[in-house]
Amino acid sequence: MTAWRQVLELTIGDEDLSRLTAIARSRTEPASRVERARMLLAYREEPSFFAVGRALGVHHQTVQRCVERAVAYGPLTALDDRPRPGREPTITAEAKAWLVDLACRKAKELGYPHELWTTRLLARYAREHGPAAGHDCLASLVQGTVCKILNSHEVKPHKVRYYLERRDAEFEDKMAEVLCVYREVAILKKAAAGSKKSTEAVAVVSYDEKPGIQAIATTAPDLPPKPGVHATFARDYEYKRHGTLSLLAGIDLLTGKVHALVRDRHRSREFVEFLKLLDAAYPAHTAIKLILDNHSAHISKETKAWLADQPAGRFAFTFTPKHGSWLNLVEGFFSKLARSVLRHIRVASKQELKDRIMAAIDDVNRHAVVHTWSYKLNKAA
């Protein structure tokens, strides 16, 4: 006698339904959870184990077990495997703690030439020294187990994440000074937009140097892309160095114009030369305010001597804090220049590199963009 088809009443709330839908469409969830979420959603639309199994390519008993667990424990709980007894762990909690503590030290501290651990090296050290430390269970430790232990504690001793240490005791105060200058720029822009007249009373320039721009030449011609052959430019791996150049540049934060010099070095005399360039670019009654970092050329005797000969109020410097160059808006311009012009650049000489950099500056000035700083501006006094 054929048994009646069994139908289980599966109730899924709105919150669980939206969660199941997201999991069923996910590309990062484990495949088992995605498959079970699809089973439950399909069974909700058509409560038939056979129909759902046929549609998803699984056995109807697999669908039945998933639905029964969802009815008994809840839809989201049914997505995960039930805990199994398994074998008792052979590595003790104390041994794991010892291994994690070891991973939090540098390999060089224990006599290795390596700066950081590799999981293979860490496993070898644990096998050699673990039993002596009272952890006999580590005598046959393998690399895969090390990875699992470290992952469970979210420790990655083979990687480095950089951070920026604040070494300036007056960081907050100096940052506030820079932000106040940006606030002044915002006020001047608003006033100029309201009167529809450009002001010449003050100019605010964000300035910095980009040293070490390499003049690199190819030793063989680049090969252009060919459809169906190779999609990119092809370049011989050999190259020839012609030296480096330094770009001294400042952005007028009110007009967007970039003032620039390209020189072999960026000493005090080059910085004074840049100040002379600014002096010639603005009317005599304009106060020129510069935002710049703490490079020695900016506060050298040569620079101070030249500034002393200028009219009072002509130049005013606002220094960013140490390790606070990210506060200088010109850094964004340098980043864009490096990505759009300097990346992959090849030249026959330093002079060609200089000409192409200045041509890029001229192109920027033809379509000047007024840069705006908004991050943390609300903290300005």
Side-chain angles (χ1 to χ4, degrees):
M1 180 177 179
T2 305
W4 290 96
R5 187 183 69 163
Q6 182 181 12
V7 177
L8 298 179
E9 183 178 353
L10 177 62
T11 303
I12 302 178
D14 294 339
E15 184 176 349
D16 290 344
L17 180 61
S18 61
R19 181 65 182 140
L20 287 174
T21 303
I23 294 174
R25 297 174 179 174
S26 174
R27 300 180 64 179
T28 57
E29 289 278 353
S32 60
R33 287 174 56 84
V34 174
E35 184 179 58
R36 290 165 185 171
R38 290 174 179 173
M39 290 181 196
L40 297 179
L41 293 175
Y43 187 83
R44 179 176 177 271
E45 297 295 330
E46 185 178 0
S48 168
F49 302 139
F50 288 92
V52 173
R54 186 169 54 251
L56 298 181
V58 297
H59 198 275
H60 67 89
Q61 291 182 350
T62 303
V63 180
Q64 181 177 350
R65 286 195 297 268
C66 181
V67 174
E68 288 175 349
R69 289 197 62 213
V71 172
Y73 304 107
L76 296 181
T77 305
L79 302 183
D80 299 316
D81 293 332
R82 283 179 290 188
R84 299 179 176 88
R87 188 177 65 177
E88 288 293 329
T90 57
I91 301 179
T92 63
E94 292 77 9
K96 292 180 181 179
W98 179 83
L99 183 67
V100 171
D101 180 70
L102 181 67
C104 293
R105 302 170 60 186
K106 285 191 174 183
K108 69 174 185 178
E109 297 177 4
L110 299 172
Y112 288 100
H114 309 69
E115 179 73 13
L116 303 177
W117 290 109
T118 64
T119 51
R120 191 183 304 275
L121 180 65
L122 189 59
R124 190 178 78 190
Y125 184 91
R127 287 194 301 268
E128 295 174 353
H129 299 86
H135 308 294
D136 295 333
C137 56
L138 298 178
S140 58
L141 183 68
V142 296
Q143 180 185 6
T145 305
V146 170
C147 294
K148 292 179 181 178
I149 294 174
L150 296 182
N151 286 339
S152 65
H153 289 80
E154 298 184 353
V155 175
K156 300 178 180 179
H158 58 289
K159 292 187 176 182
V160 174
R161 182 178 63 85
Y162 289 90
Y163 74 100
L164 190 61
E165 182 183 4
R166 288 191 178 183
R167 299 180 180 177
D168 195 332
E170 301 177 353
F171 188 96
E172 297 293 339
D173 294 337
K174 292 181 180 179
M175 180 180 70
E177 291 180 10
V178 176
L179 295 182
C180 283
V181 176
Y182 289 144
R183 174 63 60 83
E184 181 182 355
V185 171
I187 295 173
L188 290 174
K189 288 179 182 177
K190 187 176 181 180
S195 64
K196 296 183 180 181
K197 294 181 181 179
S198 59
T199 177
E200 296 182 348
V202 63
V204 182
V205 178
S206 176
Y207 168 84
D208 201 3
E209 299 95 359
K210 183 175 180 60
I213 305 175
Q214 296 193 66
I216 299 178
T218 57
T219 58
D222 290 345
L223 303 180
K226 285 187 178 181
V229 181
H230 51 85
T232 66
F233 277 92
R235 174 172 290 169
D236 189 273
Y237 68 91
E238 290 188 353
Y239 57 89
K240 182 180 180 180
R241 298 179 185 271
H242 291 297
T244 60
L245 293 174
S246 294
L247 170 62
L248 295 77
I251 302 178
D252 189 317
L253 300 184
L254 295 173
T255 65
K257 181 179 178 180
V258 179
H259 305 275
L261 289 176
V262 179
R263 295 293 183 263
D264 289 342
R265 302 174 67 178
H266 56 289
R267 301 162 296 179
S268 298
R269 64 187 66 179
E270 284 81 18
F271 179 59
V272 170
E273 185 179 356
F274 181 83
L275 295 179
K276 292 179 180 178
L277 177 68
L278 292 182
D279 189 46
Y282 293 99
H285 63 275
T286 301
I288 304 174
K289 297 185 177 182
L290 277 82
I291 301 173
L292 66 173
D293 61 19
N294 297 270
H295 191 276
S296 59
H298 305 160
I299 54 176
S300 65
K301 294 181 180 180
E302 186 175 348
T303 300
K304 291 180 178 180
W306 186 85
L307 291 173
D309 294 335
Q310 307 309 306
R314 176 62 166 171
F315 286 93
F317 290 177
T318 300
F319 294 99
T320 59
K322 294 179 181 178
H323 283 195
S325 60
W326 57 273
L327 283 166
N328 205 344
L329 209 151
V330 73
E331 296 293 345
F333 167 74
F334 283 152
S335 175
K336 183 177 180 180
L337 182 71
R339 286 182 280 112
S340 60
V341 178
L342 301 179
R343 186 184 183 190
H344 303 311
I345 194 170
R346 293 294 184 267
V347 293
S349 64
K350 290 175 66 174
Q351 184 60 43
E352 181 186 347
L353 177 60
K354 176 181 178 180
D355 294 340
R356 291 176 65 176
I357 292 175
M358 293 308 299
I361 300 297
D362 293 338
D363 182 69
V364 170
N365 286 334
R366 279 194 295 270
H367 309 281
V369 176
V370 179
H371 295 254
T372 302
W373 180 280
S374 57
Y375 180 62
K376 288 191 174 182
L377 192 60
N378 59 338
K379 293 188 177 182

